Amino acid sequence: MTAISTDRPEPAEQAPRHLRPVEEHLWVAQGAASSFFGRSFPTRMVVVRFNHDQLWVHSPIQLTPGLESELKNLGEVCYLIAPNHRHHLHLDQWQQAYPTARSFGTQEVIDKRWDLPFAHAIDKTGSYPWSEEIVHLLFRGSRRMTEAVFFHSPSATLILTDLVGNLSPRARGGWQRMLARAAGVVYPSGRMPLNWRLSVMFRKAEARSQVRRMKDWHPRRIIMAHGDIVTTGAVTFLERSFRCLEARSPDR
């Protein structure tokens, strides 16, 4: 089996303090910890630049003066993405800081955050300003949550939020590590969290079709909101992460 590793690019000269380059026109930034499986875990934001200076921000984290300064050096924040109804907490702060940026979210996010303006819902077949470089699907099948999944074509990077966890065991301790392992979200065997696996039990065929689409994109890298970035064997990682969806396979 192809090895799965984490993404730790060599630091470049004068590298941004908050934004970490992953590939040309693609950056990540670590946010403050959030509660996940009984313990606080950091979250991750993704920034993509296209059309020379337009910035697409996925799952915005808390905006600090330092982060704002680095973004200014990269380009203009044009699009704010809330990929599911759990990743919206800092959206209002970003909307105030970037009043001309357009916000997009799943319909669940829009219904939940009725107090915030959205340009449009991310739907199944819609075309968006970034569609030439970033394609998407809506992962359905779970009554708990719909997640917008994105694929950045130039870098062959799949961008997930909560659909798969791949938490590092190094920073986990005691019962929290045991709980995360039981839920199946610990590196290098990260997969769909237990609550999602249970929630798609009766709609596996629909979920399988969406996993096939992800694999058909042939990703080389997987970035998720919680856990180590996958830089090799991405398709193999997806197959293992969603093995529970196989028609006659036990969920293990």
Side-chain angles (χ1 to χ4, degrees):
M1 180 180 293
T2 306
I4 307 298
S5 64
T6 57
D7 190 14
R8 294 185 176 86
E10 291 297 322
E13 286 188 3
Q14 299 179 341
R17 181 179 177 185
H18 301 279
L19 290 165
R20 182 161 62 94
V22 176
E23 197 163 304
E24 187 176 17
H25 306 305
L26 177 65
W27 297 262
V28 294
Q30 293 298 119
S34 62
S35 179
F36 194 55
F37 288 104
R39 187 177 173 127
S40 292
F41 295 96
T43 57
R44 179 179 290 114
M45 177 182 80
V46 180
V47 177
V48 175
R49 181 172 59 196
F50 62 99
N51 288 346
H52 304 294
D53 66 348
Q54 295 184 23
L55 301 182
W56 179 91
V57 181
H58 177 274
S59 189
I61 60 175
Q62 183 176 4
L63 184 62
T64 64
L67 177 56
E68 190 170 0
S69 176
E70 292 174 16
L71 288 166
K72 185 176 180 179
N73 290 333
L74 296 181
E76 178 185 0
V77 174
C78 294
Y79 307 106
L80 304 174
I81 309 300
N84 65 44
H85 73 271
R86 293 178 180 171
H87 283 251
H88 58 83
L89 296 180
H90 302 292
L91 197 58
D92 54 346
Q93 181 192 22
W94 285 71
Q95 288 181 345
Q96 293 175 29
Y98 303 101
T100 62
R102 301 169 66 193
S103 298
F104 296 80
T106 62
Q107 190 60 52
E108 287 178 313
V109 177
I110 294 174
D111 292 342
K112 184 174 184 178
R113 293 307 307 265
W114 53 267
D115 57 316
L116 298 179
F118 284 87
H120 200 280
I122 301 171
D123 56 35
K124 188 175 181 179
T125 58
S127 178
Y128 301 91
W130 57 80
S131 293
E132 287 190 5
E133 293 195 12
I134 305 171
V135 296
H136 79 281
L137 63 81
L138 288 184
F139 193 95
R140 300 183 185 275
S142 168
R143 295 182 179 180
R144 298 182 60 89
M145 182 158 51
T146 295
E147 178 168 312
V149 174
F150 297 92
F151 179 70
H152 181 233
S153 300
S155 66
T157 298
L158 184 66
I159 302 171
L160 306 177
T161 311
D162 296 324
L163 189 56
V164 173
N166 194 40
L167 303 172
S168 171
R170 295 184 298 274
R172 311 282 77 82
W175 65 270
Q176 292 94 347
R177 181 168 59 232
M178 294 175 59
L179 183 60
R181 286 192 183 280
V185 293
V186 176
Y187 171 89
S189 302
R191 54 178 172 165
M192 185 183 240
L194 178 61
N195 57 341
W196 271 46
R197 299 202 301 272
L198 295 175
S199 68
V200 300
M201 185 177 299
F202 300 106
R203 300 175 67 181
K204 287 186 176 182
E206 181 179 4
R208 280 198 303 272
S209 69
Q210 293 151 7
V211 174
R212 281 196 296 271
R213 284 189 61 193
M214 288 187 237
K215 291 165 59 179
D216 288 344
W217 286 333
H218 304 292
R220 293 189 293 106
R221 176 190 296 108
I222 303 174
I223 298 177
M224 56 209 78
H226 309 286
D228 289 349
I229 297 173
V230 175
T231 59
T232 62
V235 172
T236 300
F237 182 89
L238 284 177
E239 291 172 347
R240 187 178 62 216
S241 297
F242 294 101
R243 190 173 296 157
C244 62
L245 300 177
E246 296 175 5
R248 298 182 180 180
S249 172
D251 186 5
R252 61 182 180 183

